[in-house]
Amino acid sequence: MRPTRRALAGILAGCLAVLPLSACSSGGGEQDGGGPLTVWFPGNEDTEIKLVKETLVPAFEKATGTKVEVTYVDWPDMSPKLNAAFAAGTAPDVIGHGVA
């Protein structure tokens, strides 16, 4: 018996819902001796960079005890850099999607 499109959509939605949670719990963080949490943000907007560096990262580091390394990637370079990083097994732990 073939599953219906509705059933397949439900399975896919469930997998997508669990994916972010599995990435968060996969280890590799500083607590496990795996180094800092790596984050890539798109763009180079000064106000966003200031907010991240001066407010968000310090608050997160204080609350979790995990060091965060943020890299800003210009929009046109984001997709090629992500593709290369995933292929090489060096992708960041977190990817900022921006306002899009």
Side-chain angles (χ1 to χ4, degrees), residues 33-66:
L37 184 71
T38 58
V39 180
W40 287 9
F41 280 116
N44 54 9
E45 169 92 23
D46 287 336
T47 55
E48 289 178 7
I49 292 172
K50 183 178 179 182
L51 172 68
V52 170
K53 284 186 175 180
E54 295 178 9
T55 304
L56 299 178
V57 168
F60 181 85
E61 288 177 340
K62 182 178 180 183
T64 64
T66 300

